[in-house]
Amino acid sequence: MESLFQCVALAQKELMVQWRTRARFGSVLVFGVTSLLVFSFAVGPDSSALQAHAAGYLWLALLLMSTLSLQEAARLDVQNGALEALVLLPVDGRALYYAKALVNTVTLGGLGTLLIPVVVALYDAPVKEGALWLIATVWLGSAALVAPGTLYAALTSRARAGDVLLPLLLFPLVVPALLGSVKATEVVMLGDPMGRLGSWLGLVLAFDVLYWSLCGLLYPLLLED
Amino acid sequence: MPPIAPSTTPATVQATGLSRRHGARWALRGVDLALHAGTATVLYGANGAGKTTLIRLLASAMRPTAGSLRWFGDVSPDRVRVATLSHHDGHYDDLTALEHLSLGARLLPSPRAGRPPRPSPHDLLMRVGLSARSGSLVRTYSAGMRKRLAFARLLQKGADLVLLDEPYAALDPAGALLVDGLITELRGQGACLLVSTHQVQRTAALCDHAVRLDEGRVTWTGLASDTVGHPSVERGPT
Amino acid sequence: MKLTNVLGLLGVAMYLYGCYDGLFIAPADRFMGDIQRIMYVHVPSAWTTMVCFTISLVAALGWVAGLVRGKAGDGRWGWDDWLESSIEVGVIFGGLLIIQGMIWAKPTWGVYWTWDPRLTTVAVMELMFIAVLALRGFVEEAQRRATWSAVVTLVAYVNVPLVYFSVQWWSSLHQAQSSSDNVDPAMQLPLAINAFAVMFIAIGLMGLRARLAGLTRVALLADVGGEA
Amino acid sequence: MQGHWDAVMLAYGLTTATMCVYLGVLLARLRAAERPSRPGDSK
C-alpha cells in the first residue's frame, strides 16, 4: 500500500512539473503538426490518397512526437540528479515508473487528441465510427508507446547520444501496437463494415497489458548503478 | 584496522576492503572504515582521491565492485536512515522549495517508534533561512539557496547516518555558520556524520575523527584534533 | 579444445555435405525448380537466428537474476559475455536470412520483399537487437552496460510472438502467402543436416565471440592492474 | 521457371562467405586480444 501512496504523490509532482514546462510540450505538438504538413507535401495534393492514409499519417506524427515528449520528460528527472535523490529517499522503483508513465500517457494522449482535428481538416479524413472511438484509439495507442518508451527514455537520457538511441530502440519494438493502432484508426475513419475494430484494439490492448506490467518490473533495475 | 571508537552497538556503517572501479580506473581500493553513532568524521584528500565515490558507496547510490558494506549491522541499506548531501542538489527546477518539502513529507514513512515527529516544511524552511523565497521556483534560486534547500530536505529525514559531500561549497559566511550549527546539532542528537570537505581546519574543530584518502586508499586515520598540526594538512592535500 | 569449438568444426563438416547434397543430390522442387534449393541454407539460418536470440534471452535472465539477488558484477561476467556474443551472431544470421529471403523471392514472386510474416518478424527482431548492440556501444561502464542491455533484451524478446501475430494478421489481409512446406523425404535429409550444421557453426562462433568479449573486458581493466 | 542457378549459388556463396569472414575476424581479434597479456605462451 505504501508504494501506492508514493505513486500518487509522485504522479502529482510529475504532472505539476510537466504542466509547468508545458511550453516544451507545446513545441512538440507544433512539431507534430509540421510533420503532418510535410507528409502531404511528400505525398502530393491528391486528396483521395491523403484521405485513404490519414490514419497512417496520424500515427507517424504521433510516433515522432512520442520520442520528443518522452525524452523531454526523462530530462526533467536527470537534471540535478533529481531522480537519484528520490531513489535514495527511498521511493519504490515501481511507484516511480508508474507515476512517470501515467503522466507521460496523459501528455502524449493529450497531444495526440489535439492532432485529430488537424488530421481531419488537413486530409479531409471522415470519422465514420464517431470521434469518441478515434480519441479512444489515440489514447490506447499512446499508452502502448509510452509503456516501453518511459523505460527506454530512462536509459537513453543517461547514455551518450541518447537522442539517437531512443527511436532506434523504441520504433521496432512498437510495431505490433503501431499496426493495431493504424488499422483501428483506419477502420474508425473509413467505416467498419466487417466489425474489425474490436480485434485491432484488442491487439493494442494486449501490447499495453504486456508492457505496462513487464516494464514496471524491469524499471527498478535501471536505478542501480 | 581496529574500529575508531570502541562501542557496544554495531557500527552505524562498516566498510571492509571496499573497492570500486570505473571502467579501467580504480576509484577506491581496499578501504576499511567503521563509523559509529554520535560521532562526526572529517574526510579529506585531493580531488580524485575517491571521496565522492566513498560517499556514494556509503549512501548506497553505487554498488561496490569488491569488498563489503554493512549499515546498522545489516547487509542491505536501510535508506530511510541514511541522508546524503551530494554535488547534485537533487532538486526539480520547476518546483518551489515548499513543494519539495511537502512532497518529501508525503513520501517519507512516519518516523520509527520513539523518534520525534518530522519537522514541518515551514519549520525546516525557517531553519535554513528560506522562508522568504519558499514560494518561488528553484530555477530562480542562487547556488547558495539551492544548497540551503538541500539541507532542509536532508534534515527532514532525521537520518541516523548523514553523509555530507563538500557542504560548504557555494555558501556565503552565514551559510557556512549554518553548516557548522547543523553538524554540531546532528552529532549532538546522536547521528553519525561523515563530512567530506577541503575546509579541513574548520570541520576538524567540529568532528571527533579524521580520515585521509589518497588515490582511492585510506592513507591516515586518527583524531580530528591531531589534524590541526598534522603535516599533511599543513601542506594541504597533495 | 572447448566444446563449442568441437561443435563448430563438426558443424563445418556437416555443412559441406549438406550443401553438396542440397545442391546436387536432392531433387528440384516440382513447381519452383532449382531456386527452391536456397531452402537448405534459408531454413537453417532461420532456426539458428532463433536459437541465438533465445540464448541471449537466457543470458539476460542469468544476469538479471544475479542482480536481483544483490550480487555485483565480478565473477559473473560470463552472462554478459554470452549476451553480447549471442546477439552479435544472431544479428549476423538474421541478416543472412533476410538477404537469402530476398534472393529467393525476386525470381519466384517478382518482388524482393513479400511481407511474409516470418521474414518480417525476423526483420523487426533484427532491428531490435541491432539497437541493443548500438546501446552497448554508447555505454562504457561495464556494470551499467550489462544491466541495460539485459533489460532491453528481455523487453525485445518478449515482443517477438506479438510481432509475428500482428504482422501475420496485418499481411494476410492483402494476399494469401504460399509457402513450400510440403517437403519431399529426399529433401528432408539435407535440410536436417544443414539445420544442425549451421546451428553448430553458430555455437562455435558464439563460443569464440564470448571469449573475445571476456578478453576485451580484462584487457580494458588489465592496463591498470585490475583483476576481472 | 527452371535454372536460377545464379540465385542459388549467390545465396549459398553469401552464406558461406559470411561465416568464413566472421570466423576470420574473430580469430584475428582473439589473437590480438591475447598477445599483450601473455606474449610468451602461444595457444
Side-chain angles (χ1 to χ4, degrees):
Chain A
M1 267 319 278
E2 179 56 30
S3 63
L4 193 60
F5 294 133
Q6 287 188 335
C7 189
V8 169
L10 288 167
Q12 281 169 347
K13 176 271 294 180
E14 189 62 31
L15 209 59
M16 202 185 301
V17 169
Q18 292 202 16
W19 172 252
R20 291 212 177 123
T21 57
R22 58 189 179 283
R24 301 185 206 174
F25 293 100
S27 53
V28 170
L29 177 65
V30 171
F31 169 79
V33 172
T34 314
S35 42
L36 283 174
L37 209 61
V38 166
F39 293 148
S40 18
F41 292 142
V43 171
D46 159 20
S47 62
S48 62
L50 288 176
Q51 190 183 60
H53 302 297
Y57 298 140
L58 168 64
W59 281 101
L60 268 181
L62 243 161
L63 193 61
L64 296 173
M65 282 202 311
S66 73
T67 313
L68 297 177
S69 72
L70 286 167
Q71 255 158 0
E72 211 45 51
R75 197 167 296 125
L76 295 173
D77 277 340
V78 170
Q79 247 171 0
N80 315 325
L83 183 64
E84 186 174 89
L86 288 175
V87 169
L88 293 179
L89 199 55
V91 168
D92 174 24
R94 282 197 309 277
L96 270 167
Y97 171 76
Y98 285 111
K100 190 85 191 176
L102 276 170
V103 175
N104 281 345
T105 306
V106 167
T107 305
L108 190 61
L111 294 180
T113 311
L114 293 177
L115 265 191
I116 293 174
V118 178
V119 166
V120 169
L122 209 59
Y123 304 132
D124 178 28
V127 187
K128 292 237 172 48
E129 297 301 320
L132 275 183
W133 276 113
L134 198 50
I135 293 171
T137 308
V138 163
W139 279 78
L140 199 63
S142 299
L145 297 180
V146 160
T150 305
L151 182 79
Y152 283 161
L155 276 183
T156 56
S157 57
R158 289 187 284 164
R160 273 187 310 111
D163 302 342
V164 173
L165 271 178
L166 183 58
L168 200 62
L169 288 166
L170 189 63
F171 287 7
L173 185 81
V174 292
V175 158
L178 202 61
L179 291 183
S181 303
V182 169
K183 280 294 170 196
T185 311
E186 205 173 87
V187 155
V188 167
M189 283 182 173
L190 308 175
D192 185 12
M194 316 228 270
R196 276 246 172 70
L197 179 59
S199 36
W200 286 118
L201 287 182
L203 171 61
V204 180
L205 193 62
F207 188 92
D208 266 315
V209 167
L210 173 66
Y211 280 106
W212 275 86
S213 45
L214 179 65
C215 294
L217 283 175
L218 293 175
Y219 185 83
L221 293 178
L222 305 181
L223 304 176
E224 306 285 329
D225 225 3
Chain B
M1 204 201 76
I4 290 178
S7 127
T8 53
T9 59
T12 298
V13 61
Q14 172 95 35
T16 332
L18 193 63
S19 311
R20 168 78 192 199
R21 182 180 47 226
H22 291 312
R25 195 175 63 86
W26 282 92
L28 211 64
R29 299 176 73 145
V31 165
D32 296 318
L33 192 66
L35 302 177
H36 293 271
T39 71
T41 306
V42 56
L43 174 70
Y44 67 96
N47 289 327
K51 302 197 298 292
T52 298
T53 304
L54 177 58
I55 294 268
R56 283 174 64 77
L57 283 167
L58 299 181
S60 74
M62 242 199 263
R63 283 171 192 256
T65 310
S68 70
L69 265 171
R70 282 182 171 280
W71 292 268
F72 315 106
D74 196 351
V75 175
S76 67
D78 183 354
R79 285 173 168 167
V80 175
R81 299 174 63 188
V82 179
T84 310
L85 186 99
S86 72
H87 286 304
H88 307 294
D89 47 40
H91 302 324
Y92 282 94
D93 287 345
D94 302 290
L95 291 179
T96 68
L98 189 57
E99 282 162 349
H100 276 98
L101 292 168
S102 325
L103 177 64
R106 288 178 66 186
L107 290 175
L108 284 166
S110 45
R112 297 205 322 278
R115 303 299 290 264
R118 292 196 198 291
S120 76
H122 288 289
D123 299 344
L124 287 164
L125 287 167
M126 193 80 66
R127 175 79 173 75
V128 294
L130 276 179
S131 311
R133 295 286 304 279
S134 67
S136 43
L137 297 181
V138 168
R139 177 189 301 286
T140 63
Y141 283 15
S142 69
M145 291 168 68
R146 295 177 79 103
K147 183 138 263 187
R148 288 168 184 270
L149 177 56
F151 280 126
R153 292 175 71 181
L154 182 133
L155 283 171
Q156 184 174 39
K157 280 187 89 166
D160 298 327
L161 171 62
V162 176
L163 307 163
L164 303 178
D165 195 350
E166 308 224 9
Y168 294 98
L171 278 185
D172 55 23
L177 283 172
L178 172 71
V179 174
D180 297 345
L182 195 107
I183 292 176
T184 315
E185 180 193 332
L186 286 170
R187 180 163 157 262
Q189 288 168 358
C192 166
L193 280 97
L194 181 66
V195 185
S196 160
T197 180
H198 290 299
Q199 276 81 5
V200 185
Q201 300 304 352
R202 177 179 192 136
T203 316
L206 307 164
C207 293
D208 312 283
H209 311 290
V211 172
R212 179 191 162 122
L213 275 185
D214 283 297
E215 285 154 11
R217 291 184 185 283
V218 171
T219 49
W220 185 79
T221 59
L223 293 179
S225 47
D226 295 345
T227 62
V228 175
H230 195 277
S232 67
V233 171
E234 292 319 317
R235 275 185 287 100
T238 53
Chain C
M1 274 285 267
K2 278 178 60 174
L3 172 66
T4 53
N5 294 350
V6 170
L7 277 180
L9 291 175
L10 175 63
V12 169
M14 290 169 66
Y15 179 73
L16 292 176
Y17 175 74
C19 288
Y20 173 75
D21 185 338
L23 284 173
F24 306 111
I25 298 173
D29 183 83
R30 279 192 307 283
F31 308 110
M32 289 196 257
D34 291 312
I35 190 74
Q36 191 260 350
R37 295 180 188 281
I38 296 182
M39 172 178 80
Y40 302 115
V41 281
H42 188 53
V43 173
S45 301
W47 286 352
T48 301
T49 305
M50 285 315 293
V51 165
C52 291
F53 289 140
T54 305
I55 290 175
S56 317
L57 173 74
V58 172
L61 285 172
W63 177 265
V64 166
L67 269 187
V68 166
R69 285 200 303 275
K71 292 209 185 55
D74 280 310
R76 296 179 45 256
W77 290 108
W79 297 109
D80 186 50
D81 296 345
W82 272 88
L83 178 68
E84 182 171 315
S85 86
S86 55
I87 290 179
E88 186 167 294
V89 174
V91 160
I92 288 173
F93 278 97
L96 272 178
L97 186 66
I98 291 167
I99 296 169
Q100 292 157 358
M102 287 196 229
I103 297 173
W104 189 343
K106 185 63 180 169
T108 316
W109 290 297
V111 284
Y112 283 111
W113 191 255
T114 60
W115 294 105
D116 161 68
R118 285 167 306 187
L119 261 184
T120 310
T121 303
V122 168
V124 171
M125 227 167 45
E126 190 71 4
L127 291 172
M128 285 197 284
F129 282 102
I130 287 175
V132 178
L133 292 178
L135 174 67
R136 289 182 73 88
F138 286 124
V139 179
E140 290 76 30
E141 215 273 315
Q143 171 91 8
R144 180 184 275 197
R145 181 182 60 179
T147 303
W148 287 9
S149 35
V151 165
V152 175
T153 300
L154 293 179
V155 172
Y157 192 89
V158 168
N159 197 31
V160 169
L162 212 55
V163 171
Y164 179 77
F165 173 72
S166 55
V167 169
Q168 185 177 40
W169 215 19
W170 174 76
S171 65
S172 66
L173 297 183
H174 300 300
Q175 18 92 0
Q177 188 58 55
S178 74
S179 70
S180 60
D181 278 352
N182 42 20
V183 179
D184 164 318
M187 297 181 179
Q188 279 170 352
L189 179 65
L191 183 58
I193 289 175
N194 258 7
F196 285 101
V198 173
M199 212 175 294
F200 289 158
I201 291 172
I203 290 171
L205 292 173
M206 279 190 279
L208 293 175
R209 183 62 183 76
R211 219 159 80 72
L212 181 66
L215 286 173
T216 39
R217 178 182 308 102
V218 170
L220 173 72
L221 307 177
D223 57 22
V224 181
E227 60 286 4
Chain D
M1 271 198 309
Q2 295 311 329
H4 298 308
W5 273 97
D6 47 359
V8 172
M9 293 320 286
L10 177 61
Y12 277 67
L14 191 67
T15 306
T16 312
T18 307
M19 290 194 282
C20 293
V21 166
Y22 186 61
L23 178 63
V25 164
L26 277 186
L27 292 177
R29 286 178 66 191
L30 270 169
R31 209 168 298 116
E34 274 156 359
R35 196 175 308 112
S37 55
R38 287 194 298 282
D41 122 50
S42 66
K43 192 165 280 306

